[in-house]
Amino acid sequence: MTNAKIAVIGGGIAGLVAACELAKEGKPVVVLEKAAQYGGRAMTVQKNGALFNLGGHALYRGGEADRIFRELGLELKGGSPSRNVSVLWNNQVFSLPRFLFGRNFTWPGRIELMRSLAKLARIDPHAEDIASVNVRTWIEQHIREPMVRNLFYALIRTSTFTNAPDLQCAGPALGQIRRTFQNNAVLYVEGGWQSIVDQLKEKAIRAGAQLLHSAGVVAIEHDGAVRKLRLSDGAELEVGRVIAAVPPAETFRLVRDADRTSLRLWKDQARPAMVACLDLCLKRLPKPRHKVVLGLDEPVFFSNQSGPTPSLARDGSVIHVVKYHGVGDHDPKKDEAMLERVMDIVQPGWRKEIVARRYLPNMTAAGDYMHMGRQDRTPGPAVPEIRGLYVAGDWVSHGELLVDSAAASGRRAAQQLLNDLRIENRLSQLSGLAG
């Protein structure tokens, strides 16, 4: 450890991507992960023979994470969820075609839905008139039929894991649901997301990075430039560069006088996307035709993740039921009762089939997202007030969402660090010549 000149704090997706980028350039880098297991929110745990991610996870093909993983040489196996989508409306489950052509949808609504989907395919999510408004404003201005509005709100909740239409920026959200309609755009990962984490670890180690688990950091010491790290076991590590791939509040806590830096703003402006998730492994599905169910009048989503990825369960099916939290307080017991009621509707008799069960009442789906309250729309990667300090994580979004933000920010931080080193080396060379 004493030879490490660059440290990455956090062994999740962002930290591991950053380590891979640095190590393949021959830089001495150590990854410090406070937990016993790498992966952060991308870790997978086994329970009674079932593999549970932390809630329902999906990788978007063609997104930033998919591109970066493939460029790093990862093998991404899995399958796409069923296209036989159902909807939950008024405590009933309907197949999507039956719902669209039933009494709940009017002919004007069907026509507007087709026009809205066609408009979605043509829009530029980065255009100022879209990027500068929130989700609710865009939907209310462009869609008249109430049921079509309900469908768009549900699609945005599901694809972005965010239930904040008055805060969420319309551009990234609309871009995400547009990608959802592309052929086989969504990938459920074979073996759980731990398979991605394990491959990133292997790539980083083979490139020369050092990975240390159960190695918590308690302080980033600096005098306007990064000097060393203090670890939870009392050890100290002299470093000249640090990438903090942890939540904004944790980075803020680690840095002395952080309230005088951009870290204060980034921490204060962060709006985490939170969900309650009921993870289940069932011996059998009482209603196997219900594979993907989209909540229209309630912010919920049901998915059978082991349908396209059977390795998630030795016997049975792994499913996830999610409730997307809105802004404000939440009652974990009421949320759990709500998710159980959804299961009673979607899979009646499910309680008799339980192999494994886990309830996560307040899970962070993303540390931040693009929202109207962001004063700094593109935080990081460098902390301008402290030379040698960089940030990464899904909260360091420059327009990406979820794991795309994590992977892209990890690469951005590494590239900025490498560029800064090149500039300093060049200045040092010029100084030597002048001397």
Side-chain angles (χ1 to χ4, degrees):
M1 287 181 62
T2 55
N3 294 323
K5 300 300 182 183
I6 303 172
V8 176
I9 304 174
I13 295 292
L16 292 173
V17 166
C20 287
E21 296 285 331
L22 294 168
K24 74 180 183 180
E25 293 296 323
K27 303 304 178 184
V29 56
V30 59
V31 178
L32 303 168
E33 169 55 53
K34 65 181 179 182
Q37 182 177 351
Y38 296 96
R41 292 195 301 275
M43 69 173 59
T44 305
V45 299
Q46 187 176 107
K47 189 170 184 179
N48 295 347
L51 295 176
F52 283 164
N53 296 316
L54 291 180
H57 280 41
L59 182 69
Y60 278 77
R61 289 187 173 98
E64 287 297 304
D66 179 55
R67 180 172 63 84
I68 290 170
F69 292 161
R70 293 184 188 280
E71 288 176 359
L72 289 173
L74 272 62
E75 187 176 2
L76 302 174
K77 296 181 179 180
S80 296
S82 172
R83 289 183 170 272
N84 296 323
V85 177
S86 300
V87 297
L88 182 64
W89 174 260
N90 196 25
N91 293 322
Q92 292 181 280
V93 181
F94 303 87
S95 69
L96 186 57
R98 178 187 167 200
F99 186 78
L100 295 179
F101 290 95
R103 59 184 177 84
N104 292 298
F105 246 84
T106 63
W107 274 108
R110 296 178 190 118
I111 294 171
E112 185 170 43
L113 176 60
M114 298 304 296
R115 289 176 175 172
S116 297
L117 292 176
K119 181 187 295 184
L120 182 67
R122 297 192 304 268
I123 65 170
D124 177 8
H126 305 290
E128 181 60 27
D129 61 331
I130 298 175
S132 62
V133 300
N134 62 35
V135 164
R136 189 181 303 280
T137 297
W138 190 91
I139 289 179
E140 301 296 318
Q141 287 180 349
H142 292 83
I143 301 174
R144 293 171 299 178
E145 289 290 320
M147 197 58 73
V148 182
R149 289 177 176 175
N150 285 336
L151 186 56
F152 265 72
Y153 281 127
L155 289 170
I156 288 174
R157 284 194 302 265
T158 303
S159 61
T160 68
F161 275 70
T162 304
N163 182 22
D166 295 311
L167 287 176
Q168 189 176 17
C169 293
L174 293 171
Q176 187 83 333
I177 63 170
R178 184 171 67 179
R179 290 166 57 192
T180 303
F181 286 102
Q182 296 173 356
N183 189 38
N184 295 324
V186 178
L187 178 72
Y188 288 172
V189 179
E190 191 73 42
W193 275 52
Q194 194 69 43
S195 65
I196 294 177
V197 172
D198 291 344
Q199 289 184 76
L200 286 172
K201 283 171 49 187
E202 181 182 358
K203 295 292 181 182
I205 292 171
R206 285 190 176 184
Q210 186 177 7
L211 273 63
L212 299 174
H213 63 78
S214 304
V217 176
V218 296
I220 301 171
E221 299 287 354
H222 71 95
D223 55 7
V226 170
R227 298 303 179 191
K228 63 182 178 181
L229 300 179
R230 286 195 291 112
L231 307 187
S232 56
D233 63 0
E236 293 185 346
L237 174 63
E238 292 186 4
V239 292
R241 297 287 188 279
V242 170
I243 296 177
V246 293
E250 184 172 348
T251 304
F252 181 86
R253 177 180 57 79
L254 294 175
V255 176
R256 175 177 49 81
D257 295 329
D259 56 348
R260 300 179 183 177
T261 72
S262 299
L263 294 170
R264 162 66 74 178
L265 172 61
W266 298 342
K267 176 182 75 73
D268 290 347
Q269 73 177 12
R271 299 289 182 270
M274 306 294 294
V275 302
C277 185
L278 181 60
D279 301 328
L280 296 165
C281 179
L282 304 183
K283 287 180 288 187
R284 69 177 189 90
L285 295 180
K287 298 288 185 181
R289 68 179 182 275
H290 295 160
K291 298 178 175 65
V292 177
V293 181
L294 194 67
L296 294 188
D297 54 352
E298 294 183 284
V300 296
F301 179 68
F302 167 96
S303 64
N304 175 10
Q305 295 239 324
S306 62
T309 53
S311 67
L312 293 181
R314 185 173 59 235
D315 297 302
S317 298
V318 170
I319 61 176
H320 301 284
V321 198
V322 178
K323 180 220 172 204
Y324 306 102
H325 290 332
V327 178
D329 296 330
H330 311 284
D331 186 323
K333 290 185 178 180
K334 289 183 179 179
D335 289 339
E336 185 175 19
M338 178 185 186
L339 294 174
E340 290 177 341
R341 177 174 56 81
V342 170
M343 282 298 300
D344 289 336
I345 298 169
V346 176
Q347 298 291 337
W350 63 278
R351 288 176 174 83
K352 298 177 181 179
E353 309 295 337
I354 295 175
V355 175
R357 170 177 176 147
R358 182 182 63 182
Y359 174 55
L360 305 171
N362 284 293
M363 186 180 73
T364 302
D368 194 14
Y369 55 92
M370 296 295 288
H371 58 81
M372 305 306 293
R374 263 193 173 196
Q375 297 178 51
D376 186 348
R377 288 298 182 97
T378 55
V383 179
E385 299 84 1
I386 303 176
R387 184 165 59 88
L389 181 58
Y390 309 84
V391 292
D394 59 15
W395 65 274
V396 193
S397 170
H398 287 194
E400 312 90 1
L401 295 169
L402 304 169
V403 70
D404 287 336
S405 296
S409 68
R411 170 168 281 185
R412 270 195 299 269
Q415 290 177 341
Q416 182 67 61
L417 188 156
L418 292 169
N419 187 58
D420 289 347
L421 285 176
R422 284 191 288 266
I423 292 173
E424 289 184 16
N425 289 337
R426 181 58 177 163
L427 289 175
S428 178
Q429 292 171 0
L430 291 174
S431 177
L433 291 174

